[in-house]
Protein backbone atom coordinates (compact mmCIF):
# COMPACT_ATOMS: atom_id res chain seq x y z
CA UNK A 1 0.00 0.00 0.00
CA UNK A 2 1.43 3.36 -0.97
CA UNK A 3 1.93 5.65 1.99
CA UNK A 4 0.99 9.14 0.88
CA UNK A 5 2.80 10.95 3.64
CA UNK A 6 6.36 12.21 3.53
CA UNK A 7 8.81 14.04 5.75
CA UNK A 8 11.36 16.15 3.92
CA UNK A 9 14.91 14.93 3.54
CA UNK A 10 17.68 16.74 1.74
CA UNK A 11 17.41 15.68 -1.89
CA UNK A 12 20.65 15.23 -3.83
CA UNK A 13 21.28 17.49 -6.76
CA UNK A 14 20.35 15.77 -10.01
CA UNK A 15 19.16 18.69 -12.09
CA UNK A 16 21.32 17.65 -15.03
CA UNK A 17 19.15 14.57 -15.64
CA UNK A 18 16.02 15.58 -17.62
CA UNK A 19 14.25 12.38 -16.56
CA UNK A 20 14.08 13.70 -12.99
CA UNK A 21 11.75 16.54 -13.99
CA UNK A 22 9.75 14.21 -16.23
CA UNK A 23 9.19 11.81 -13.35
CA UNK A 24 8.39 14.58 -10.89
CA UNK A 25 5.79 16.09 -13.23
CA UNK A 26 4.28 12.73 -14.07
CA UNK A 27 3.95 11.68 -10.43
CA UNK A 28 2.52 15.07 -9.46
CA UNK A 29 -0.34 14.50 -11.92
CA UNK A 30 -1.02 10.98 -10.69
CA UNK A 31 -0.30 11.21 -6.97
CA UNK A 32 -1.40 14.76 -6.27
CA UNK A 33 0.23 16.91 -3.61
CA UNK A 34 2.65 14.26 -2.35
CA UNK A 35 6.08 15.32 -1.13
CA UNK A 36 8.80 13.43 -2.98
CA UNK A 37 11.87 13.50 -0.80
CA UNK A 38 14.28 12.49 -3.56
CA UNK A 39 14.44 11.09 -7.09
CA UNK A 40 17.66 9.37 -8.14
CA UNK A 41 18.82 6.92 -10.79
CA UNK A 42 18.66 3.33 -9.56
CA UNK A 43 21.36 0.70 -10.28
CA UNK A 44 19.16 -0.47 -13.19
CA UNK A 45 19.46 1.74 -16.31
CA UNK A 46 16.20 3.53 -17.12
CA UNK A 47 14.76 2.95 -13.65
CA UNK A 48 14.68 5.63 -10.94
CA UNK A 49 14.35 5.53 -7.16
CA UNK A 50 11.65 7.70 -5.60
CA UNK A 51 11.87 8.19 -1.84
CA UNK A 52 8.75 9.20 0.09
CA UNK A 53 9.52 9.43 3.80
CA UNK A 54 11.10 6.03 4.48
CA UNK A 55 9.41 4.23 1.58
CA UNK A 56 11.32 3.59 -1.64
CA UNK A 57 9.64 3.03 -5.00
CA UNK A 58 10.93 2.56 -8.53
CA UNK A 59 9.70 4.51 -11.54
CA UNK A 60 10.46 4.31 -15.26
CA UNK A 61 12.22 7.29 -16.83
CA UNK A 62 9.01 8.47 -18.51
CA UNK A 63 7.14 8.38 -15.18
CA UNK A 64 4.60 5.85 -16.47
CA UNK A 65 5.52 2.67 -14.64
CA UNK A 66 5.56 2.64 -10.83
CA UNK A 67 7.01 -0.37 -9.01
CA UNK A 68 6.71 -1.38 -5.36
CA UNK A 69 9.04 -4.03 -3.98
CA UNK A 70 12.64 -4.73 -3.05
CA UNK A 71 15.56 -4.71 -5.48
CA UNK A 72 18.22 -7.34 -4.78
CA UNK A 73 21.71 -7.64 -6.26
CA UNK A 74 22.05 -11.35 -7.05
CA UNK A 75 25.82 -11.12 -7.32
CA UNK A 76 26.42 -9.58 -3.90
CA UNK A 77 23.24 -10.74 -2.15
CA UNK A 78 22.51 -7.16 -1.06
CA UNK A 79 18.98 -5.91 -0.57
CA UNK A 80 19.52 -2.51 -2.20
CA UNK A 81 16.07 -1.22 -1.27
CA UNK A 82 16.38 -1.98 2.44
CA UNK A 83 19.80 -0.34 2.51
CA UNK A 84 18.35 2.96 1.24
CA UNK A 85 15.20 2.68 3.36
CA UNK A 86 17.20 2.05 6.54
CA UNK A 87 19.32 5.13 5.87
CA UNK A 88 16.18 7.25 5.40
CA UNK A 89 14.56 5.76 8.48
CA UNK A 90 17.66 6.45 10.57
CA UNK A 91 17.72 10.07 9.43
CA UNK A 92 14.06 10.56 10.38
CA UNK A 93 14.53 8.99 13.82
CA UNK A 94 17.74 10.95 14.47
CA UNK A 95 15.79 14.16 13.86
CA UNK A 96 13.57 13.48 16.92
CA UNK A 97 14.67 15.48 19.95
CA UNK A 98 15.52 13.18 22.87
CA UNK A 99 13.50 15.42 25.18
CA UNK A 100 10.41 14.19 23.35
CA UNK A 101 11.27 10.55 24.05
CA UNK A 102 11.05 8.53 27.26
CA UNK A 103 14.53 7.10 27.75
CA UNK A 104 15.62 4.25 29.97
CA UNK A 105 19.39 4.54 29.88
CA UNK A 106 22.12 2.05 30.68
CA UNK A 107 25.26 2.67 32.73
CA UNK A 108 27.23 0.39 30.40
CA UNK A 109 25.51 1.40 27.16
CA UNK A 110 26.62 -0.53 24.10
CA UNK A 111 23.48 -0.22 22.01
CA UNK A 112 20.51 2.09 21.59
CA UNK A 113 17.10 1.00 20.31
CA UNK A 114 14.16 3.23 19.48
CA UNK A 115 10.89 1.53 20.38
CA UNK A 116 7.49 2.61 19.08
CA UNK A 117 5.21 1.57 21.93
CA UNK A 118 1.58 1.46 23.09
CA UNK A 119 0.79 1.33 26.82
CA UNK A 120 -2.09 -1.10 26.21
CA UNK A 121 -0.11 -3.53 24.03
CA UNK A 122 0.59 -6.89 25.71
CA UNK A 123 4.04 -7.43 24.24
CA UNK A 124 4.95 -3.79 24.90
CA UNK A 125 4.15 -4.45 28.54
CA UNK A 126 6.22 -7.62 28.49
CA UNK A 127 9.18 -5.74 27.00
CA UNK A 128 8.89 -3.01 29.61
CA UNK A 129 8.64 -5.50 32.47
CA UNK A 130 12.20 -6.52 31.51
CA UNK A 131 13.55 -3.00 31.07
CA UNK A 132 16.17 -3.56 33.79
CA UNK A 133 17.46 -6.64 31.96
CA UNK A 134 17.75 -4.71 28.68
CA UNK A 135 19.73 -2.04 30.51
CA UNK A 136 21.98 -4.66 32.16
CA UNK A 137 22.71 -6.02 28.67
CA UNK A 138 23.95 -2.54 27.77
CA UNK A 139 20.84 -1.64 25.74
CA UNK A 140 19.38 1.84 26.10
CA UNK A 141 15.65 1.93 25.30
CA UNK A 142 14.17 5.13 23.86
CA UNK A 143 10.38 5.11 23.67
CA UNK A 144 8.31 6.80 20.97
CA UNK A 145 4.51 6.90 21.17
CA UNK A 146 2.44 4.79 18.79
CA UNK A 147 -1.14 4.26 20.03
CA UNK A 148 -2.25 1.51 17.64
CA UNK A 149 -5.91 2.54 17.71
CA UNK A 150 -5.02 6.11 16.82
CA UNK A 151 -4.21 9.35 18.58
CA UNK A 152 -7.86 9.99 19.51
CA UNK A 153 -8.38 6.53 21.00
CA UNK A 154 -8.39 5.66 24.70
CA UNK A 155 -4.81 4.43 24.34
CA UNK A 156 -3.94 7.72 22.66
CA UNK A 157 -5.42 9.62 25.61
CA UNK A 158 -3.40 7.54 28.06
CA UNK A 159 -0.21 8.08 26.13
CA UNK A 160 -0.77 11.82 25.97
CA UNK A 161 -1.18 11.80 29.77
CA UNK A 162 2.03 9.79 30.14
CA UNK A 163 3.98 12.23 27.97
CA UNK A 164 2.51 15.14 29.95
CA UNK A 165 3.40 13.65 33.33
CA UNK A 166 6.01 15.33 35.53
CA UNK A 167 7.82 11.98 35.75
CA UNK A 168 7.37 10.29 32.38
CA UNK A 169 9.39 7.19 33.25
CA UNK A 170 7.25 6.51 36.31
CA UNK A 171 4.08 7.30 34.38
CA UNK A 172 4.81 4.93 31.50
CA UNK A 173 5.88 2.18 33.90
CA UNK A 174 2.63 2.48 35.85
CA UNK A 175 0.49 2.74 32.70
CA UNK A 176 2.06 -0.47 31.41
CA UNK A 177 1.06 -2.12 34.67
CA UNK A 178 -2.55 -1.19 33.93
CA UNK A 179 -2.78 1.88 36.13
CA UNK A 180 -4.73 4.86 34.83
CA UNK A 181 -2.30 7.72 34.05
CA UNK A 182 -5.06 10.30 34.48
CA UNK A 183 -6.13 13.01 32.07
CA UNK A 184 -3.32 15.53 32.24
CA UNK A 185 -2.92 17.41 28.97
CA UNK A 186 -0.17 19.53 27.49
CA UNK A 187 1.55 20.27 24.21
CA UNK A 188 2.83 16.73 23.61
CA UNK A 189 4.54 14.82 20.75
CA UNK A 190 2.21 11.79 20.63
CA UNK A 191 0.46 12.71 17.36
CA UNK A 192 3.77 13.65 15.72
CA UNK A 193 5.44 10.40 16.79
CA UNK A 194 2.44 8.36 15.68
CA UNK A 195 2.68 10.00 12.24
CA UNK A 196 6.43 9.35 12.20
CA UNK A 197 5.79 5.69 12.96
CA UNK A 198 3.49 5.46 9.95
CA UNK A 199 6.12 7.09 7.73
CA UNK A 200 8.94 4.74 8.80
CA UNK A 201 6.78 1.63 8.33
CA UNK A 202 5.45 0.76 11.79
CA UNK A 203 2.32 -1.41 11.56
CA UNK A 204 2.18 -2.77 15.11
CA UNK A 205 3.86 -2.54 18.50
CA UNK A 206 6.41 -2.93 19.82
CA UNK A 207 8.44 -1.91 16.77
CA UNK A 208 12.18 -1.56 17.19
CA UNK A 209 14.31 0.76 15.08
CA UNK A 210 17.98 -0.11 15.43
CA UNK A 211 20.93 2.27 15.24
CA UNK A 212 21.44 1.41 11.56
CA UNK A 213 17.80 2.27 10.77
CA UNK A 214 16.63 -1.32 10.44
CA UNK A 215 13.03 -1.88 11.55
CA UNK A 216 12.27 -5.04 13.53
CA UNK A 217 8.64 -5.71 14.48
CA UNK A 218 7.74 -7.43 17.72
CA UNK A 219 9.16 -8.35 21.11
CA UNK A 220 12.68 -9.80 21.44
CA UNK A 221 13.97 -11.00 24.86
CA UNK A 222 16.93 -9.02 26.28
CA UNK A 223 19.68 -11.63 25.86
CA UNK A 224 18.59 -12.53 22.32
CA UNK A 225 18.35 -8.85 21.35
CA UNK A 226 21.88 -8.21 22.67
CA UNK A 227 23.19 -11.09 20.54
CA UNK A 228 21.32 -9.76 17.51
CA UNK A 229 22.71 -6.24 17.94
CA UNK A 230 26.24 -7.58 18.46
CA UNK A 231 25.94 -9.74 15.34
CA UNK A 232 25.13 -6.64 13.28
CA UNK A 233 28.22 -4.84 14.54
CA UNK A 234 26.13 -2.20 16.32
CA UNK A 235 28.43 -1.88 19.30
CA UNK A 236 29.10 1.62 20.62
CA UNK A 237 32.48 0.64 22.10
Amino acid sequence: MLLLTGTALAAPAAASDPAIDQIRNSLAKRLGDIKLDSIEPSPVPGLYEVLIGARLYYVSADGRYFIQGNMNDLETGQDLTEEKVSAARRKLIDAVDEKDMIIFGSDNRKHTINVFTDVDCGYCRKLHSQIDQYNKEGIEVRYLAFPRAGVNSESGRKMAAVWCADDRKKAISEAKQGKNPGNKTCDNPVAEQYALGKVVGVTGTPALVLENGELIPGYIPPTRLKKLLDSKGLDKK
Side-chain angles (χ1 to χ4, degrees):
M1 179 178 178
L2 176 61
L3 180 66
L4 301 182
T5 305
T7 302
L9 302 174
S16 59
D17 188 341
I20 300 294
D21 288 335
Q22 171 70 22
I23 291 170
R24 192 179 302 279
N25 293 335
S26 177
L27 292 183
K29 293 176 183 177
R30 290 168 170 80
L31 301 181
D33 190 21
I34 304 304
K35 184 176 290 183
L36 308 179
D37 295 309
S38 69
I39 303 175
E40 297 180 292
S42 82
V44 178
L47 201 61
Y48 287 74
E49 300 173 348
V50 176
L51 186 68
I52 302 175
R55 302 293 179 101
L56 191 67
Y57 306 95
Y58 299 98
V59 184
S60 59
D62 60 4
R64 178 177 177 181
Y65 298 101
F66 193 89
I67 303 168
Q68 295 175 250
N70 284 28
M71 179 184 293
N72 294 277
D73 185 328
L74 297 181
E75 288 191 7
T76 65
Q78 280 183 290
D79 184 335
L80 302 179
T81 304
E82 181 55 37
E83 190 175 285
K84 286 287 185 75
V85 168
S86 290
R89 193 183 289 122
R90 183 176 66 247
K91 187 168 185 176
L92 290 166
I93 295 292
D94 286 348
V96 179
D97 196 318
E98 286 191 354
K99 72 179 178 59
D100 290 327
M101 300 177 174
I102 301 178
I103 299 175
F104 287 80
S106 172
D107 292 335
N108 62 325
R109 184 178 66 162
K110 297 179 180 178
H111 303 289
T112 298
I113 59 170
N114 302 281
V115 181
F116 285 88
T117 192
D118 181 332
V119 294
D120 289 327
C121 150
Y123 277 105
C124 296
R125 290 181 172 186
K126 184 172 183 178
L127 186 155
H128 191 70
S129 72
Q130 298 175 296
I131 199 71
D132 288 343
Q133 287 106 304
Y134 287 103
N135 289 164
K136 286 178 182 177
E137 293 287 354
I139 302 170
E140 177 176 286
V141 178
R142 311 194 310 175
Y143 282 129
L144 295 149
F146 193 86
R148 295 173 299 171
V151 175
N152 296 319
S153 66
E154 180 64 11
S155 294
R157 178 197 66 77
K158 291 178 184 178
M159 298 193 77
V162 164
W163 255 259
C164 289
D166 294 332
D167 187 339
R168 290 177 176 176
K169 292 173 69 173
K170 179 181 178 182
I172 199 168
S173 295
E174 291 182 346
K176 290 193 176 191
Q177 293 168 2
K179 298 179 182 179
N180 191 330
N183 297 295
K184 187 172 183 180
T185 60
C186 66
D187 183 14
N188 65 78
V190 173
E192 184 177 346
Q193 291 179 7
Y194 178 74
L196 173 63
K198 292 285 190 180
V199 169
V200 301
V202 175
T203 56
T205 53
L208 286 56
V209 180
L210 309 186
E211 291 155 293
N212 63 356
E214 182 179 351
L215 175 65
I216 299 179
Y219 160 80
I220 302 176
T223 302
R224 193 194 310 166
L225 180 60
K226 170 64 162 51
K227 290 179 180 177
L228 175 66
L229 296 172
D230 286 346
S231 72
K232 292 178 178 294
L234 302 177
D235 195 317
K236 284 188 171 295
K237 288 188 174 180

